[in-house]
């Protein structure tokens, strides 16, 4: 499968996270997983879903594979989100960059995130 974030050409309109099936003949079965006015800047595939950064929405969002919002957390114009493993603590954390606050943060959650296999 191929996941694609699509934003409107201006900051007016819906951003979408799309999923396509990929085969030798091309892309098929387009599905809109999520849409928002918050401008999707980045996303990370995780086991059973996606975590994405909504730049204008000032939040990160954890979605199921079907697009159901499972969790959210507030940030200042988040521009990226990545799941990382902390070998010292043996935990998984989110690395979130915030354009609005000019910082990067390691965030521990109780969202039970795991890398996509």
């Amino acid at each position: 499968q191929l996941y694609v974030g699509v934003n409107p050409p201006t900051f007016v309109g819906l951003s979408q996270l799309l999923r396509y099936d990929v085969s030798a003949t091309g892309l098929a079965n387009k599905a809109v997983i999520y849409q928002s006015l918050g401008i999707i800047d980045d996303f990370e595939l995780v086991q059973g879903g996606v975590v994405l950064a909504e730049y204008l929405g000032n939040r990160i969002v954890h979605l199921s594979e079907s697009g159901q919002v499972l969790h959210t957390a507030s940030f200042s114009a988040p521009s990226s989100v990545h799941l990382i493993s902390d070998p010292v603590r043996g935990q998984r954390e989110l690395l979130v960059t915030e354009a609005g606050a000019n910082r990067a943060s390691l965030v521990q959650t109780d969202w039970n995130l795991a890398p996509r296999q």
Side-chain angles (χ1 to χ4, degrees):
Q1 294 180 319
L2 174 69
Y3 292 77
V4 179
V6 179
N7 288 313
T10 65
F11 284 121
V12 178
L14 289 174
S15 291
Q16 295 180 321
L17 180 63
L18 307 175
R19 181 184 62 223
Y20 295 91
D21 292 334
V22 180
S23 70
T25 60
L27 302 177
N29 301 324
K30 174 184 172 183
V32 177
I33 302 299
Y34 182 73
Q35 55 189 8
S36 169
L37 291 170
I39 301 295
I40 299 169
D41 203 0
D42 186 37
F43 64 90
E44 172 97 12
L45 300 176
V46 295
Q47 195 70 29
V50 179
V51 178
L52 58 83
E54 280 189 12
Y55 183 79
L56 293 181
N58 290 312
R59 66 184 190 161
I60 59 170
V61 181
H62 177 212
L63 305 167
S64 70
E65 189 65 29
S66 65
Q68 177 186 5
V69 175
L70 302 172
H71 305 98
T72 63
S74 296
F75 288 89
S76 181
S79 57
S80 69
V81 59
H82 296 285
L83 182 63
I84 62 170
S85 293
D86 182 342
V88 175
R89 294 186 220 157
Q91 298 176 358
R92 292 188 182 103
E93 299 173 320
L94 289 173
L95 174 61
V96 180
T97 59
E98 296 174 85
N102 197 28
R103 69 177 169 219
S105 303
L106 284 174
V107 181
Q108 295 178 1
T109 69
D110 59 357
W111 299 356
N112 297 318
L113 300 174
R116 178 80 59 111
Q117 299 294 326

